[in-house]
Amino acid sequence: ANEVQRPVTIRTNSLKTRRRDLAQALISRGVNLDPVGKWSKVGLVIYSSTVPLGATPEYLAGHYILQGASSLLPVMALAPQEGERVLDMASAPGGKTTHIAAIMKNTGMVLANDANRDRTKAIVGNLHRLGITNTVVCCEDGRKLPHTMKGFDRVLLDAPCSGTGVISKDPSAKTGKDHQDIHLCSHLQKELIVAAIDCLDANSKTGGYLVYSTCSILPEENESVVDYILKKRHCKLVPTGLDFGVEGFTRYREHRYHPTMNLTRRYYPHTQNMDGFFVAKIKKISDSLPGGEMAHQAGAEAEAETGDYDSGLGEVDPEQTNTKKEKKNKKVEGANKFNQKNSSKKFEKKRSQQHNSSPAKQHNRDNSAQKRPKELSVEEDKLPGEAAENNTKKGNFTKDKKLKRKELKKKKAEALKNLGEGKELAGQPQTKKMKVEKKESEVKATTENTENNTIEKQETKKKKKKNKNKKSSSDKADSKDLQKSTSNSSTKSFKKPKLKKKRFF
């Protein structure tokens, strides 16, 4: 059955035409059609057509929309009333939202939400074409909707699923899906159904209903998700109002679901000749959580503290909560009595010690006790073993600390002695010592260089004086040639020695 294509179906827009008029118009254009069945007053099955159904004047005028037969079922189960506030949590491409608006006759308000921004364009296009004016389009994660808007009379959640019911349209669902993918889908569906039930108003006069539907056949995405919400929130399953279809599973392999799961409906390709589908209708009983807190108060706080989108498991009986409170009260009373007994014993011991002391002191103490009643200190009010244990722990802790500090000081002093450093560096850490050593070595190098330079200058001065004395002792009567020779030799000998430039570090 999954290998065979399902027949094409259309839904007439009751805001603009009737099904009879639309059928006559399409038959005149060469379309072979029939009503979907007795269960629908709006659907038509098309067997063959000589004209493309998406380009006829009736289609462009918004007289009908191409929609699967199984997609009509969730809106029929929801049964929206005129003037209500309805939420379609996953609405793209807009077939179910337009159906809801048509049933409501453009009254009330419909919020069409979808997480994918690109798919919201298809919703807007269908709304304009079909002439719907009571719908607001929104692009938001469905799990966050309870924090932005609440108080809806009815909610429709056509949850994203693995698509195991529409294999004829998408054969990749048969081969491309893994067990992990199905597990992720079911987890997302559980988060969405919790958000959807939180968006509902339990005190609504006409509503308070949630319709959960998927195009999947797997119990992991259908019965297990509905069973999950029955445990997490105060709600119950209600008849869908659909006359045909197979009842939901109350047990599947090792799983055991809620006994009212037979109120849900399953649709199979081989029996109803439509896409595989699952529909469940849930009635919200109260806005309070099973733990006792209000749903709108716990939503943001639970996420901030625990990181989970939902909290609370199962329904809690009021008798159990009362018994727990009684047990806690008994424990507190027992602890108070125990403390009172211990304090009275200590007081009696002190009184006995006072009787044994001298009569003068005892008389003064009695007078002071009569003037003001004695108040027990914090240490006396403790249990008998607590004060002694605390004192011993404090004493041992301080002694150990002192011993450790002394040992560390001794080790440091010994290490400094071995290195041969002075008293000034004894209290400094090793990093400072290394810096001081470097500075001392630099100072020594600079002093040595300056001393060498002064010695060389003194030697050059002495040489110059000796050369001058030699010139005076030489004969003045010698010829100019001799003087030139002597002068050349003297100039050569008296050349200043080139000093090598030394870098100072």
Side-chain angles (χ1 to χ4, degrees):
N2 286 323
E3 303 298 329
V4 181
Q5 290 290 326
R6 304 274 82 75
V8 178
T9 57
I10 61 171
R11 178 181 61 80
T12 58
N13 183 13
S14 59
L15 293 172
K16 292 190 174 183
T17 55
R18 296 177 181 176
R19 187 169 67 170
R20 186 185 296 174
D21 299 335
L22 178 64
Q24 288 176 357
L26 291 173
I27 287 164
S28 65
R29 293 186 185 280
V31 179
N32 185 14
L33 53 83
D34 271 330
V36 170
K38 293 179 180 179
W39 54 271
S40 175
K41 296 178 182 178
V42 181
L44 288 168
V45 182
I46 293 166
Y47 299 112
S48 63
S49 67
T50 57
V51 183
L53 294 170
T56 60
E58 288 80 12
Y59 178 82
L60 296 172
H63 290 185
Y64 68 90
I65 184 171
L66 292 163
Q67 191 173 356
S70 57
S71 297
L72 305 173
L73 300 170
V75 180
M76 291 172 65
L78 187 66
Q81 305 297 316
E82 293 181 17
E84 286 185 338
R85 297 177 68 196
V86 182
L87 168 64
D88 189 358
M89 193 170 271
S91 60
K96 296 181 185 68
T97 53
T98 53
H99 192 187
I100 291 164
I103 291 169
M104 294 170 68
K105 297 178 182 177
N106 267 340
T107 60
M109 191 275 283
V110 180
L111 180 65
N113 179 67
D114 199 89
N116 192 347
R117 188 175 289 277
D118 295 329
R119 296 190 73 190
T120 55
K121 294 175 184 177
I123 303 168
V124 174
N126 284 319
L127 292 173
H128 286 300
R129 188 171 60 83
L130 296 169
I132 287 154
T133 57
N134 68 339
T135 303
V136 179
V137 181
C138 173
C139 180
E140 183 68 29
D141 187 358
R143 295 170 289 185
K144 297 178 182 178
L145 274 176
H147 306 297
T148 55
M149 189 175 284
K150 289 184 179 180
F152 291 97
D153 297 311
R154 293 171 198 262
V155 176
L156 174 63
L157 175 59
D158 186 25
C161 61
S162 60
T164 53
V166 290
I167 292 170
S168 59
K169 292 180 182 177
D170 184 16
S172 64
K174 191 164 56 176
T175 56
K177 298 292 179 183
D178 193 7
H179 180 71
Q180 189 176 1
D181 297 328
I182 293 159
H183 178 71
L184 290 170
C185 281
S186 66
H187 181 71
L188 177 63
Q189 287 158 0
K190 286 173 184 176
E191 289 179 335
L192 286 170
I193 199 169
V194 168
I197 208 82
D198 287 342
C199 288
L200 273 174
D201 183 15
N203 300 319
S204 175
K205 293 179 181 179
T206 57
Y209 293 102
L210 163 69
V211 171
Y212 173 78
S213 63
T214 61
C215 56
S216 176
I217 302 169
L218 300 174
E220 289 86 355
E221 298 181 80
N222 298 326
E223 281 87 358
S224 63
V225 175
V226 175
D227 192 58
Y228 174 81
I229 196 63
L230 291 174
K231 291 176 182 176
K232 297 287 272 184
R233 295 290 185 269
H234 288 301
C235 55
K236 65 178 180 179
L237 279 167
V238 171
T240 56
L242 301 170
D243 299 330
F244 68 105
V246 183
E247 292 182 355
F249 299 145
T250 54
R251 57 174 67 190
Y252 174 75
R253 292 183 180 176
E254 70 274 9
H255 301 289
R256 298 293 177 270
Y257 302 117
H258 201 271
T260 58
M261 204 66 69
N262 58 357
L263 296 172
T264 60
R265 288 289 178 268
R266 286 174 152 270
Y267 300 92
Y268 298 107
H270 64 280
T271 54
Q272 281 82 27
N273 195 20
M274 61 175 70
D275 294 326
F277 228 75
F278 174 83
V279 181
K281 191 172 184 179
I282 301 162
K283 167 74 173 172
K284 190 175 183 181
I285 298 165
S286 68
D287 290 327
S288 62
L289 293 171
E293 296 177 357
M294 295 301 289
H296 63 85
Q297 290 177 355
E301 294 175 2
E303 285 180 14
E305 293 176 2
T306 62
D308 296 327
Y309 285 98
D310 44 280
S311 60
L313 281 169
E315 295 185 359
V316 179
D317 295 331
E319 293 179 359
Q320 292 179 358
T321 54
N322 291 327
T323 53
K324 286 180 181 178
K325 286 179 181 177
E326 288 176 0
K327 285 180 181 178
K328 284 182 180 178
N329 291 327
K330 285 179 181 178
K331 286 181 181 178
V332 171
E333 288 176 1
N336 290 329
K337 286 179 182 178
F338 184 69
N339 290 328
Q340 286 175 4
K341 286 180 182 179
N342 289 327
S343 61
S344 62
K345 284 179 183 179
K346 287 178 181 178
F347 187 71
E348 286 175 1
K349 282 181 182 179
K350 286 191 175 183
R351 292 288 292 173
S352 62
Q353 288 175 3
Q354 288 174 4
H355 283 297
N356 296 326
S357 61
S358 62
K361 287 181 181 178
Q362 188 176 349
H363 180 70
N364 292 328
R365 284 172 187 168
D366 291 334
N367 290 329
S368 63
Q370 286 175 4
K371 288 177 184 177
R372 58 178 182 77
K374 188 174 180 181
E375 294 179 358
L376 293 173
S377 64
V378 177
E379 293 179 355
E380 289 175 350
D381 197 22
K382 287 181 180 179
L383 295 172
E386 286 181 0
E389 287 177 2
N390 290 328
N391 290 327
T392 53
K393 283 179 183 177
K394 285 179 183 177
N396 293 328
F397 184 73
T398 51
K399 285 178 182 178
D400 292 334
K401 262 194 172 181
K402 286 178 181 179
L403 290 169
K404 283 180 182 179
R405 285 175 183 172
K406 284 181 180 179
E407 288 176 358
L408 288 169
K409 284 181 180 179
K410 285 180 181 179
K411 286 179 181 179
K412 283 182 181 179
E414 288 175 0
L416 291 168
K417 283 179 183 178
N418 292 327
L419 291 168
E421 294 181 351
K423 291 181 181 180
E424 295 177 354
L425 301 174
Q428 297 178 353
Q430 289 184 357
T431 53
K432 288 184 179 180
K433 290 175 189 176
M434 297 296 289
K435 289 179 182 178
V436 171
E437 287 176 359
K438 284 182 182 179
K439 286 180 181 179
E440 286 182 354
S441 62
E442 288 174 1
V443 171
K444 285 180 182 179
T446 51
T447 52
E448 287 176 358
N449 289 325
T450 52
E451 287 176 1
N452 291 326
N453 289 326
T454 51
I455 290 163
E456 286 177 357
K457 286 179 181 178
Q458 288 176 1
E459 288 177 354
T460 52
K461 285 179 181 180
K462 287 178 181 180
K463 285 179 181 180
K464 284 180 181 179
K465 285 180 181 180
K466 285 179 181 180
N467 289 325
K468 284 178 182 179
N469 292 325
K470 283 180 182 179
K471 281 182 183 181
S472 60
S473 61
S474 62
D475 295 330
K476 293 179 182 180
D478 292 336
S479 63
K480 291 180 180 179
D481 295 327
L482 289 169
Q483 285 177 359
K484 286 179 182 179
S485 63
T486 52
S487 65
N488 289 324
S489 62
S490 62
T491 53
K492 286 178 184 178
S493 60
F494 287 120
K495 281 182 182 179
K496 290 182 181 179
K498 291 181 180 180
L499 297 172
K500 291 181 181 179
K501 293 180 180 179
K502 292 186 179 182
R503 295 179 183 176
F504 298 99
F505 294 95

